[in-house]
Amino acid sequence: LYTVQSEVVISTVSNSPPQLTIPNLAIVAGDLFNLPLSAQDDDGDNVSFYVKSSTLNVAINSMGFLTINPSVDQVGSHNVEVY
């Protein structure tokens, strides 16, 4: 009878989501604005962006650009949340 002994090391992996910072923007009503978004995941996972909330005409297109197309009735300050 043979006995094999081994050591198993268990550790945690830091897999926090990538951080994305969008600067304050000044956009003219009626103009289409495009902001390229980019982020890298520490594990090399694919990164996707979604607009969580906004009171503006906001989308993320297939090329990874945050597009904002505010209308005249949307003049003022707005928060855009992307995750």
Side-chain angles (χ1 to χ4, degrees), residues 35-68:
L35 178 69
L37 300 176
S38 66
Q40 271 190 323
D41 183 75
D42 290 340
D43 298 332
D45 297 329
N46 289 332
V47 177
S48 299
F49 299 103
Y50 302 93
V51 176
K52 184 173 181 182
S53 64
S54 176
T55 55
L56 296 170
N57 302 329
V58 177
I60 297 174
N61 68 22
S62 62
M63 300 295 293
F65 283 83
L66 177 71
T67 61
I68 305 173

PDB file of all heavy atoms in Angstrom, residues 35-68:
ATOM      1  N   LEU A  35     -18.546  59.288 -27.595  1.00  0.00           N
ATOM      2  CA  LEU A  35     -17.421  59.134 -26.676  1.00  0.00           C
ATOM      3  C   LEU A  35     -16.976  57.679 -26.709  1.00  0.00           C
ATOM      4  O   LEU A  35     -17.748  56.788 -26.359  1.00  0.00           O
ATOM      5  CB  LEU A  35     -17.837  59.513 -25.249  1.00  0.00           C
ATOM      6  CG  LEU A  35     -16.774  59.358 -24.167  1.00  0.00           C
ATOM      7  CD1 LEU A  35     -15.667  60.385 -24.355  1.00  0.00           C
ATOM      8  CD2 LEU A  35     -17.399  59.493 -22.790  1.00  0.00           C
ATOM      9  N   PRO A  36     -15.728  57.405 -27.153  1.00  0.00           N
ATOM     10  CA  PRO A  36     -15.270  56.008 -27.160  1.00  0.00           C
ATOM     11  C   PRO A  36     -15.083  55.495 -25.738  1.00  0.00           C
ATOM     12  O   PRO A  36     -14.512  56.173 -24.893  1.00  0.00           O
ATOM     13  CB  PRO A  36     -13.938  56.072 -27.911  1.00  0.00           C
ATOM     14  CG  PRO A  36     -13.476  57.485 -27.778  1.00  0.00           C
ATOM     15  CD  PRO A  36     -14.708  58.326 -27.640  1.00  0.00           C
ATOM     16  N   LEU A  37     -15.596  54.303 -25.484  1.00  0.00           N
ATOM     17  CA  LEU A  37     -15.454  53.671 -24.169  1.00  0.00           C
ATOM     18  C   LEU A  37     -14.445  52.540 -24.269  1.00  0.00           C
ATOM     19  O   LEU A  37     -14.435  51.800 -25.254  1.00  0.00           O
ATOM     20  CB  LEU A  37     -16.799  53.100 -23.707  1.00  0.00           C
ATOM     21  CG  LEU A  37     -17.949  54.092 -23.558  1.00  0.00           C
ATOM     22  CD1 LEU A  37     -19.227  53.351 -23.184  1.00  0.00           C
ATOM     23  CD2 LEU A  37     -17.619  55.148 -22.523  1.00  0.00           C
ATOM     24  N   SER A  38     -13.613  52.415 -23.265  1.00  0.00           N
ATOM     25  CA  SER A  38     -12.678  51.293 -23.244  1.00  0.00           C
ATOM     26  C   SER A  38     -12.363  50.927 -21.802  1.00  0.00           C
ATOM     27  O   SER A  38     -12.370  51.773 -20.924  1.00  0.00           O
ATOM     28  CB  SER A  38     -11.391  51.626 -24.002  1.00  0.00           C
ATOM     29  OG  SER A  38     -10.680  52.642 -23.334  1.00  0.00           O
ATOM     30  N   ALA A  39     -12.131  49.649 -21.601  1.00  0.00           N
ATOM     31  CA  ALA A  39     -11.743  49.138 -20.289  1.00  0.00           C
ATOM     32  C   ALA A  39     -11.108  47.775 -20.500  1.00  0.00           C
ATOM     33  O   ALA A  39     -11.360  47.108 -21.504  1.00  0.00           O
ATOM     34  CB  ALA A  39     -12.954  49.031 -19.369  1.00  0.00           C
ATOM     35  N   GLN A  40     -10.260  47.370 -19.575  1.00  0.00           N
ATOM     36  CA  GLN A  40      -9.632  46.052 -19.619  1.00  0.00           C
ATOM     37  C   GLN A  40      -9.940  45.308 -18.340  1.00  0.00           C
ATOM     38  O   GLN A  40      -9.914  45.879 -17.256  1.00  0.00           O
ATOM     39  CB  GLN A  40      -8.115  46.174 -19.763  1.00  0.00           C
ATOM     40  CG  GLN A  40      -7.644  46.232 -21.174  1.00  0.00           C
ATOM     41  CD  GLN A  40      -6.124  46.106 -21.220  1.00  0.00           C
ATOM     42  OE1 GLN A  40      -5.425  46.621 -20.373  1.00  0.00           O
ATOM     43  NE2 GLN A  40      -5.635  45.417 -22.222  1.00  0.00           N
ATOM     44  N   ASP A  41     -10.242  44.038 -18.484  1.00  0.00           N
ATOM     45  CA  ASP A  41     -10.482  43.183 -17.337  1.00  0.00           C
ATOM     46  C   ASP A  41      -9.170  42.516 -16.940  1.00  0.00           C
ATOM     47  O   ASP A  41      -8.417  42.050 -17.805  1.00  0.00           O
ATOM     48  CB  ASP A  41     -11.527  42.121 -17.703  1.00  0.00           C
ATOM     49  CG  ASP A  41     -11.862  41.249 -16.526  1.00  0.00           C
ATOM     50  OD1 ASP A  41     -12.579  41.732 -15.634  1.00  0.00           O
ATOM     51  OD2 ASP A  41     -11.399  40.104 -16.492  1.00  0.00           O
ATOM     52  N   ASP A  42      -8.891  42.467 -15.641  1.00  0.00           N
ATOM     53  CA  ASP A  42      -7.641  41.875 -15.158  1.00  0.00           C
ATOM     54  C   ASP A  42      -7.476  40.419 -15.572  1.00  0.00           C
ATOM     55  O   ASP A  42      -6.366  39.935 -15.747  1.00  0.00           O
ATOM     56  CB  ASP A  42      -7.549  41.982 -13.636  1.00  0.00           C
ATOM     57  CG  ASP A  42      -7.331  43.408 -13.159  1.00  0.00           C
ATOM     58  OD1 ASP A  42      -6.876  44.248 -13.968  1.00  0.00           O
ATOM     59  OD2 ASP A  42      -7.611  43.690 -11.977  1.00  0.00           O
ATOM     60  N   ASP A  43      -8.589  39.706 -15.710  1.00  0.00           N
ATOM     61  CA  ASP A  43      -8.532  38.294 -16.089  1.00  0.00           C
ATOM     62  C   ASP A  43      -8.597  38.083 -17.597  1.00  0.00           C
ATOM     63  O   ASP A  43      -8.598  36.942 -18.056  1.00  0.00           O
ATOM     64  CB  ASP A  43      -9.693  37.523 -15.453  1.00  0.00           C
ATOM     65  CG  ASP A  43      -9.639  37.544 -13.937  1.00  0.00           C
ATOM     66  OD1 ASP A  43      -8.525  37.659 -13.390  1.00  0.00           O
ATOM     67  OD2 ASP A  43     -10.696  37.457 -13.306  1.00  0.00           O
ATOM     68  N   GLY A  44      -8.717  39.157 -18.352  1.00  0.00           N
ATOM     69  CA  GLY A  44      -8.807  39.028 -19.801  1.00  0.00           C
ATOM     70  C   GLY A  44     -10.206  38.709 -20.304  1.00  0.00           C
ATOM     71  O   GLY A  44     -10.393  38.388 -21.475  1.00  0.00           O
ATOM     72  N   ASP A  45     -11.208  38.781 -19.414  1.00  0.00           N
ATOM     73  CA  ASP A  45     -12.588  38.537 -19.835  1.00  0.00           C
ATOM     74  C   ASP A  45     -13.059  39.654 -20.761  1.00  0.00           C
ATOM     75  O   ASP A  45     -12.565  40.791 -20.694  1.00  0.00           O
ATOM     76  CB  ASP A  45     -13.526  38.482 -18.617  1.00  0.00           C
ATOM     77  CG  ASP A  45     -13.195  37.337 -17.671  1.00  0.00           C
ATOM     78  OD1 ASP A  45     -12.709  36.300 -18.161  1.00  0.00           O
ATOM     79  OD2 ASP A  45     -13.426  37.480 -16.458  1.00  0.00           O
ATOM     80  N   ASN A  46     -14.027  39.335 -21.616  1.00  0.00           N
ATOM     81  CA  ASN A  46     -14.617  40.361 -22.471  1.00  0.00           C
ATOM     82  C   ASN A  46     -15.330  41.388 -21.610  1.00  0.00           C
ATOM     83  O   ASN A  46     -15.912  41.060 -20.575  1.00  0.00           O
ATOM     84  CB  ASN A  46     -15.612  39.743 -23.452  1.00  0.00           C
ATOM     85  CG  ASN A  46     -14.921  38.933 -24.517  1.00  0.00           C
ATOM     86  OD1 ASN A  46     -13.782  39.204 -24.876  1.00  0.00           O
ATOM     87  ND2 ASN A  46     -15.614  37.937 -25.042  1.00  0.00           N
ATOM     88  N   VAL A  47     -15.298  42.633 -22.041  1.00  0.00           N
ATOM     89  CA  VAL A  47     -15.938  43.723 -21.312  1.00  0.00           C
ATOM     90  C   VAL A  47     -17.092  44.251 -22.162  1.00  0.00           C
ATOM     91  O   VAL A  47     -16.925  44.491 -23.351  1.00  0.00           O
ATOM     92  CB  VAL A  47     -14.931  44.865 -21.018  1.00  0.00           C
ATOM     93  CG1 VAL A  47     -15.613  46.027 -20.332  1.00  0.00           C
ATOM     94  CG2 VAL A  47     -13.774  44.350 -20.182  1.00  0.00           C
ATOM     95  N   SER A  48     -18.249  44.385 -21.545  1.00  0.00           N
ATOM     96  CA  SER A  48     -19.423  44.946 -22.212  1.00  0.00           C
ATOM     97  C   SER A  48     -19.887  46.168 -21.434  1.00  0.00           C
ATOM     98  O   SER A  48     -19.708  46.238 -20.215  1.00  0.00           O
ATOM     99  CB  SER A  48     -20.569  43.930 -22.257  1.00  0.00           C
ATOM    100  OG  SER A  48     -20.192  42.797 -22.967  1.00  0.00           O
ATOM    101  N   PHE A  49     -20.474  47.112 -22.137  1.00  0.00           N
ATOM    102  CA  PHE A  49     -20.997  48.319 -21.500  1.00  0.00           C
ATOM    103  C   PHE A  49     -22.501  48.381 -21.714  1.00  0.00           C
ATOM    104  O   PHE A  49     -23.010  47.975 -22.754  1.00  0.00           O
ATOM    105  CB  PHE A  49     -20.365  49.570 -22.119  1.00  0.00           C
ATOM    106  CG  PHE A  49     -18.871  49.634 -21.971  1.00  0.00           C
ATOM    107  CD1 PHE A  49     -18.046  49.334 -23.036  1.00  0.00           C
ATOM    108  CD2 PHE A  49     -18.296  49.997 -20.770  1.00  0.00           C
ATOM    109  CE1 PHE A  49     -16.674  49.396 -22.912  1.00  0.00           C
ATOM    110  CE2 PHE A  49     -16.911  50.054 -20.639  1.00  0.00           C
ATOM    111  CZ  PHE A  49     -16.100  49.755 -21.712  1.00  0.00           C
ATOM    112  N   TYR A  50     -23.202  48.908 -20.706  1.00  0.00           N
ATOM    113  CA  TYR A  50     -24.645  49.094 -20.781  1.00  0.00           C
ATOM    114  C   TYR A  50     -24.995  50.435 -20.161  1.00  0.00           C
ATOM    115  O   TYR A  50     -24.393  50.836 -19.172  1.00  0.00           O
ATOM    116  CB  TYR A  50     -25.380  47.995 -20.002  1.00  0.00           C
ATOM    117  CG  TYR A  50     -25.048  46.606 -20.492  1.00  0.00           C
ATOM    118  CD1 TYR A  50     -24.031  45.871 -19.904  1.00  0.00           C
ATOM    119  CD2 TYR A  50     -25.749  46.043 -21.560  1.00  0.00           C
ATOM    120  CE1 TYR A  50     -23.715  44.600 -20.367  1.00  0.00           C
ATOM    121  CE2 TYR A  50     -25.434  44.774 -22.019  1.00  0.00           C
ATOM    122  CZ  TYR A  50     -24.422  44.059 -21.418  1.00  0.00           C
ATOM    123  OH  TYR A  50     -24.106  42.808 -21.880  1.00  0.00           O
ATOM    124  N   VAL A  51     -25.980  51.117 -20.724  1.00  0.00           N
ATOM    125  CA  VAL A  51     -26.494  52.335 -20.107  1.00  0.00           C
ATOM    126  C   VAL A  51     -27.505  51.900 -19.061  1.00  0.00           C
ATOM    127  O   VAL A  51     -28.498  51.250 -19.386  1.00  0.00           O
ATOM    128  CB  VAL A  51     -27.159  53.259 -21.145  1.00  0.00           C
ATOM    129  CG1 VAL A  51     -27.773  54.472 -20.450  1.00  0.00           C
ATOM    130  CG2 VAL A  51     -26.152  53.707 -22.192  1.00  0.00           C
ATOM    131  N   LYS A  52     -27.204  52.207 -17.809  1.00  0.00           N
ATOM    132  CA  LYS A  52     -28.094  51.791 -16.721  1.00  0.00           C
ATOM    133  C   LYS A  52     -29.248  52.769 -16.566  1.00  0.00           C
ATOM    134  O   LYS A  52     -30.384  52.371 -16.417  1.00  0.00           O
ATOM    135  CB  LYS A  52     -27.311  51.677 -15.416  1.00  0.00           C
ATOM    136  CG  LYS A  52     -28.140  51.158 -14.273  1.00  0.00           C
ATOM    137  CD  LYS A  52     -27.302  50.899 -13.052  1.00  0.00           C
ATOM    138  CE  LYS A  52     -28.147  50.356 -11.915  1.00  0.00           C
ATOM    139  NZ  LYS A  52     -27.358  50.137 -10.713  1.00  0.00           N
ATOM    140  N   SER A  53     -28.933  54.060 -16.596  1.00  0.00           N
ATOM    141  CA  SER A  53     -29.997  55.048 -16.457  1.00  0.00           C
ATOM    142  C   SER A  53     -29.561  56.365 -17.059  1.00  0.00           C
ATOM    143  O   SER A  53     -28.391  56.716 -17.034  1.00  0.00           O
ATOM    144  CB  SER A  53     -30.362  55.250 -14.985  1.00  0.00           C
ATOM    145  OG  SER A  53     -29.257  55.782 -14.284  1.00  0.00           O
ATOM    146  N   SER A  54     -30.527  57.049 -17.601  1.00  0.00           N
ATOM    147  CA  SER A  54     -30.279  58.366 -18.158  1.00  0.00           C
ATOM    148  C   SER A  54     -31.610  59.001 -18.512  1.00  0.00           C
ATOM    149  O   SER A  54     -32.573  58.311 -18.834  1.00  0.00           O
ATOM    150  CB  SER A  54     -29.406  58.290 -19.401  1.00  0.00           C
ATOM    151  OG  SER A  54     -29.270  59.588 -19.954  1.00  0.00           O
ATOM    152  N   THR A  55     -31.647  60.311 -18.467  1.00  0.00           N
ATOM    153  CA  THR A  55     -32.825  61.054 -18.902  1.00  0.00           C
ATOM    154  C   THR A  55     -32.603  61.630 -20.298  1.00  0.00           C
ATOM    155  O   THR A  55     -33.392  62.427 -20.770  1.00  0.00           O
ATOM    156  CB  THR A  55     -33.136  62.191 -17.906  1.00  0.00           C
ATOM    157  OG1 THR A  55     -31.969  62.999 -17.755  1.00  0.00           O
ATOM    158  CG2 THR A  55     -33.544  61.633 -16.547  1.00  0.00           C
ATOM    159  N   LEU A  56     -31.521  61.226 -20.949  1.00  0.00           N
ATOM    160  CA  LEU A  56     -31.183  61.711 -22.288  1.00  0.00           C
ATOM    161  C   LEU A  56     -31.356  60.613 -23.329  1.00  0.00           C
ATOM    162  O   LEU A  56     -31.570  59.453 -22.989  1.00  0.00           O
ATOM    163  CB  LEU A  56     -29.720  62.176 -22.325  1.00  0.00           C
ATOM    164  CG  LEU A  56     -29.345  63.355 -21.450  1.00  0.00           C
ATOM    165  CD1 LEU A  56     -27.830  63.531 -21.426  1.00  0.00           C
ATOM    166  CD2 LEU A  56     -30.000  64.614 -21.966  1.00  0.00           C
ATOM    167  N   ASN A  57     -31.211  60.983 -24.588  1.00  0.00           N
ATOM    168  CA  ASN A  57     -31.172  60.011 -25.683  1.00  0.00           C
ATOM    169  C   ASN A  57     -29.760  59.442 -25.726  1.00  0.00           C
ATOM    170  O   ASN A  57     -28.892  59.967 -26.406  1.00  0.00           O
ATOM    171  CB  ASN A  57     -31.522  60.679 -27.012  1.00  0.00           C
ATOM    172  CG  ASN A  57     -32.889  61.323 -26.986  1.00  0.00           C
ATOM    173  OD1 ASN A  57     -33.770  60.848 -26.294  1.00  0.00           O
ATOM    174  ND2 ASN A  57     -33.064  62.408 -27.718  1.00  0.00           N
ATOM    175  N   VAL A  58     -29.517  58.365 -24.986  1.00  0.00           N
ATOM    176  CA  VAL A  58     -28.187  57.796 -24.827  1.00  0.00           C
ATOM    177  C   VAL A  58     -28.214  56.325 -25.240  1.00  0.00           C
ATOM    178  O   VAL A  58     -29.156  55.608 -24.939  1.00  0.00           O
ATOM    179  CB  VAL A  58     -27.708  57.895 -23.358  1.00  0.00           C
ATOM    180  CG1 VAL A  58     -26.356  57.251 -23.174  1.00  0.00           C
ATOM    181  CG2 VAL A  58     -27.661  59.338 -22.919  1.00  0.00           C
ATOM    182  N   ALA A  59     -27.138  55.901 -25.906  1.00  0.00           N
ATOM    183  CA  ALA A  59     -26.993  54.491 -26.273  1.00  0.00           C
ATOM    184  C   ALA A  59     -25.510  54.174 -26.358  1.00  0.00           C
ATOM    185  O   ALA A  59     -24.663  55.064 -26.379  1.00  0.00           O
ATOM    186  CB  ALA A  59     -27.670  54.213 -27.605  1.00  0.00           C
ATOM    187  N   ILE A  60     -25.205  52.896 -26.410  1.00  0.00           N
ATOM    188  CA  ILE A  60     -23.841  52.449 -26.684  1.00  0.00           C
ATOM    189  C   ILE A  60     -23.930  51.654 -27.971  1.00  0.00           C
ATOM    190  O   ILE A  60     -24.647  50.661 -28.061  1.00  0.00           O
ATOM    191  CB  ILE A  60     -23.278  51.611 -25.531  1.00  0.00           C
ATOM    192  CG1 ILE A  60     -23.205  52.488 -24.274  1.00  0.00           C
ATOM    193  CG2 ILE A  60     -21.902  51.065 -25.895  1.00  0.00           C
ATOM    194  CD1 ILE A  60     -22.810  51.760 -23.027  1.00  0.00           C
ATOM    195  N   ASN A  61     -23.204  52.121 -28.981  1.00  0.00           N
ATOM    196  CA  ASN A  61     -23.308  51.464 -30.287  1.00  0.00           C
ATOM    197  C   ASN A  61     -22.382  50.262 -30.379  1.00  0.00           C
ATOM    198  O   ASN A  61     -21.611  49.969 -29.469  1.00  0.00           O
ATOM    199  CB  ASN A  61     -23.084  52.468 -31.429  1.00  0.00           C
ATOM    200  CG  ASN A  61     -21.662  52.990 -31.507  1.00  0.00           C
ATOM    201  OD1 ASN A  61     -20.722  52.379 -31.020  1.00  0.00           O
ATOM    202  ND2 ASN A  61     -21.496  54.131 -32.148  1.00  0.00           N
ATOM    203  N   SER A  62     -22.465  49.553 -31.488  1.00  0.00           N
ATOM    204  CA  SER A  62     -21.709  48.306 -31.662  1.00  0.00           C
ATOM    205  C   SER A  62     -20.200  48.531 -31.733  1.00  0.00           C
ATOM    206  O   SER A  62     -19.429  47.597 -31.570  1.00  0.00           O
ATOM    207  CB  SER A  62     -22.180  47.586 -32.920  1.00  0.00           C
ATOM    208  OG  SER A  62     -21.942  48.401 -34.055  1.00  0.00           O
ATOM    209  N   MET A  63     -19.773  49.758 -31.947  1.00  0.00           N
ATOM    210  CA  MET A  63     -18.341  50.071 -32.005  1.00  0.00           C
ATOM    211  C   MET A  63     -17.783  50.462 -30.635  1.00  0.00           C
ATOM    212  O   MET A  63     -16.618  50.775 -30.501  1.00  0.00           O
ATOM    213  CB  MET A  63     -18.088  51.201 -33.005  1.00  0.00           C
ATOM    214  CG  MET A  63     -18.529  50.876 -34.424  1.00  0.00           C
ATOM    215  SD  MET A  63     -17.598  49.534 -35.154  1.00  0.00           S
ATOM    216  CE  MET A  63     -15.995  50.279 -35.296  1.00  0.00           C
ATOM    217  N   GLY A  64     -18.632  50.466 -29.598  1.00  0.00           N
ATOM    218  CA  GLY A  64     -18.175  50.796 -28.244  1.00  0.00           C
ATOM    219  C   GLY A  64     -18.184  52.275 -27.937  1.00  0.00           C
ATOM    220  O   GLY A  64     -17.478  52.723 -27.041  1.00  0.00           O
ATOM    221  N   PHE A  65     -18.982  53.046 -28.667  1.00  0.00           N
ATOM    222  CA  PHE A  65     -19.086  54.478 -28.413  1.00  0.00           C
ATOM    223  C   PHE A  65     -20.351  54.770 -27.620  1.00  0.00           C
ATOM    224  O   PHE A  65     -21.423  54.242 -27.929  1.00  0.00           O
ATOM    225  CB  PHE A  65     -19.150  55.274 -29.726  1.00  0.00           C
ATOM    226  CG  PHE A  65     -17.839  55.426 -30.421  1.00  0.00           C
ATOM    227  CD1 PHE A  65     -17.359  54.417 -31.237  1.00  0.00           C
ATOM    228  CD2 PHE A  65     -17.086  56.578 -30.273  1.00  0.00           C
ATOM    229  CE1 PHE A  65     -16.143  54.548 -31.887  1.00  0.00           C
ATOM    230  CE2 PHE A  65     -15.866  56.712 -30.923  1.00  0.00           C
ATOM    231  CZ  PHE A  65     -15.395  55.698 -31.727  1.00  0.00           C
ATOM    232  N   LEU A  66     -20.207  55.610 -26.606  1.00  0.00           N
ATOM    233  CA  LEU A  66     -21.361  56.151 -25.910  1.00  0.00           C
ATOM    234  C   LEU A  66     -21.874  57.280 -26.791  1.00  0.00           C
ATOM    235  O   LEU A  66     -21.160  58.245 -27.054  1.00  0.00           O
ATOM    236  CB  LEU A  66     -20.953  56.682 -24.535  1.00  0.00           C
ATOM    237  CG  LEU A  66     -22.050  57.351 -23.716  1.00  0.00           C
ATOM    238  CD1 LEU A  66     -23.055  56.310 -23.229  1.00  0.00           C
ATOM    239  CD2 LEU A  66     -21.446  58.095 -22.545  1.00  0.00           C
ATOM    240  N   THR A  67     -23.091  57.156 -27.292  1.00  0.00           N
ATOM    241  CA  THR A  67     -23.655  58.190 -28.157  1.00  0.00           C
ATOM    242  C   THR A  67     -24.739  58.934 -27.394  1.00  0.00           C
ATOM    243  O   THR A  67     -25.578  58.330 -26.732  1.00  0.00           O
ATOM    244  CB  THR A  67     -24.237  57.598 -29.463  1.00  0.00           C
ATOM    245  OG1 THR A  67     -25.288  56.701 -29.135  1.00  0.00           O
ATOM    246  CG2 THR A  67     -23.172  56.866 -30.244  1.00  0.00           C
ATOM    247  N   ILE A  68     -24.671  60.236 -27.492  1.00  0.00           N
ATOM    248  CA  ILE A  68     -25.646  61.104 -26.827  1.00  0.00           C
ATOM    249  C   ILE A  68     -26.180  62.070 -27.871  1.00  0.00           C
ATOM    250  O   ILE A  68     -25.405  62.730 -28.569  1.00  0.00           O
ATOM    251  CB  ILE A  68     -25.003  61.875 -25.652  1.00  0.00           C
ATOM    252  CG1 ILE A  68     -24.348  60.897 -24.665  1.00  0.00           C
ATOM    253  CG2 ILE A  68     -26.036  62.751 -24.957  1.00  0.00           C
ATOM    254  CD1 ILE A  68     -23.557  61.574 -23.564  1.00  0.00           C
TER     255      ILE A  68
END
